[in-house]
Amino acid sequence: KTIQKALGLIKTRFNEGRKMYGYTTTNISKNHYGSSAAGTCIMFICGEQEDKYTEQAVDSILKIMKNDPKKQKVGHIPYFLYYGSVASYFQGGDNYRQWAQHLEEYLIREQRKSGEWGSYYQTAFCILAASLPFQYIPVYQK
């Protein structure tokens, strides 16, 4: 019952036209693309069955990834990368393969010579985003 109530709340942030989740409303901003990815991730983890909240939402965040989040001036990119990875991983199939390919290209290009992607927080999110297929974290084990 609690999970269904939580999913109901998240659905109130879903923008039908963009197939994305807003942060506190249905308004979508580049600074909150990570929130859309997180909303999509939550829908998968909690077992949402309606495609528009999961499959179609992954399609929307995959488009952002394909067009390079940095060039689009996406806010909080590591957060977006992590939750986008989780959402597309749960969807699986071709979308995850495409996501992973773009993610790898992005991470290689953006990694600093010292090995990090910014702060500890940013680096941790980037590492977690790339590590899903290895299933180190129990919640991502299939």
Side-chain angles (χ1 to χ4, degrees):
K1 185 176 178 179
T2 302
I3 289 173
Q4 291 308 311
K5 286 176 77 173
L7 292 178
L9 175 66
I10 295 166
K11 288 177 183 178
T12 67
R13 271 78 167 164
F14 189 72
N15 182 305
E16 295 277 344
R18 304 253 333 251
K19 303 292 186 228
M20 295 177 75
Y21 296 91
Y23 184 64
T24 57
T25 67
T26 58
N27 293 331
I28 307 298
S29 97
K30 290 180 179 187
N31 278 336
H32 294 124
Y33 282 173
S35 297
S36 186
T40 307
C41 171
I42 290 165
M43 290 295 174
F44 274 110
I45 289 173
C46 292
E48 175 59 44
Q49 298 299 309
E50 199 169 344
D51 283 352
K52 73 177 181 181
Y53 296 117
T54 55
E55 314 282 328
Q56 293 176 27
V58 167
D59 291 343
S60 294
I61 59 175
L62 181 57
K63 286 177 190 171
I64 295 165
M65 192 64 191
K66 285 179 179 177
N67 294 315
D68 190 333
K70 188 171 185 177
K71 287 181 183 174
Q72 295 178 72
K73 301 184 183 338
V74 169
H76 313 287
I77 291 175
Y79 187 85
F80 170 77
L81 297 176
Y82 171 69
Y83 283 107
S85 289
V86 174
S88 63
Y89 180 75
F90 270 93
Q91 183 182 23
D94 193 47
N95 274 351
Y96 181 69
R97 282 189 289 282
Q98 289 179 51
W99 178 277
Q101 176 187 345
H102 292 290
L103 175 67
E104 181 179 329
E105 292 166 1
Y106 180 87
L107 291 177
I108 289 170
R109 186 183 70 239
E110 296 299 323
Q111 188 175 28
R112 296 179 181 172
K113 288 180 182 178
S114 55
E116 85 274 350
W117 287 273
S119 68
Y120 292 130
Y121 159 86
Q122 292 166 317
T123 298
F125 267 102
C126 289
I127 291 168
L128 288 171
S131 69
L132 290 166
F134 303 104
Q135 300 181 352
Y136 296 131
I137 301 172
V139 72
Y140 304 126
Q141 294 172 359
K142 291 185 177 181

